[in-house]
Amino acid sequence: MPLVMLFQLLGVILALMGLADVAVAFLPAAMVAKIPAKLVMVQGFAQSVSLLGMGAMIYLLAVIAAKRPAKTY
């Protein structure tokens, strides 16, 4: 598996985890208390959004890198 595909996969995984954490932020407190602490990656809405943004940024940079051929010197 090429390195670009690995970075695309990493970006998608981080974006999905961030999206799940953002979705959890909108749940009522009674439902959030039922989620095991090991499954909660970050605490707070801002950290969830930054995790989502970081995943999207890694994915988009991998897509851009895949479209531009590497220069050899």
Side-chain angles (χ1 to χ4, degrees), residues 6-19:
L6 287 176
F7 276 105
Q8 287 178 339
L9 183 63
L10 175 69
V12 168
I13 290 171
L14 286 175
L16 289 177
M17 287 173 22
L19 188 61

Side-chain angles (χ1 to χ4, degrees), residues 15-37:
L16 289 177
M17 287 173 22
L19 188 61
D21 283 340
V22 169
V24 166
F26 287 104
L27 291 176
M31 294 179 75
V32 174
K34 295 178 183 177
I35 299 174

Side-chain angles (χ1 to χ4, degrees), residues 4-64:
V4 172
M5 289 178 67
L6 287 176
F7 276 105
Q8 287 178 339
L9 183 63
L10 175 69
V12 168
I13 290 171
L14 286 175
L16 289 177
M17 287 173 22
L19 188 61
D21 283 340
V22 169
V24 166
F26 287 104
L27 291 176
M31 294 179 75
V32 174
K34 295 178 183 177
I35 299 174
K38 290 181 180 179
L39 296 180
V40 179
M41 291 261 323
V42 293
Q43 299 293 326
F45 186 73
Q47 290 86 358
S48 300
V49 172
S50 69
L51 182 65
L52 173 63
M54 182 176 60
M57 181 183 64
I58 290 173
Y59 176 78
L60 289 175
L61 287 174
V63 168
I64 291 169

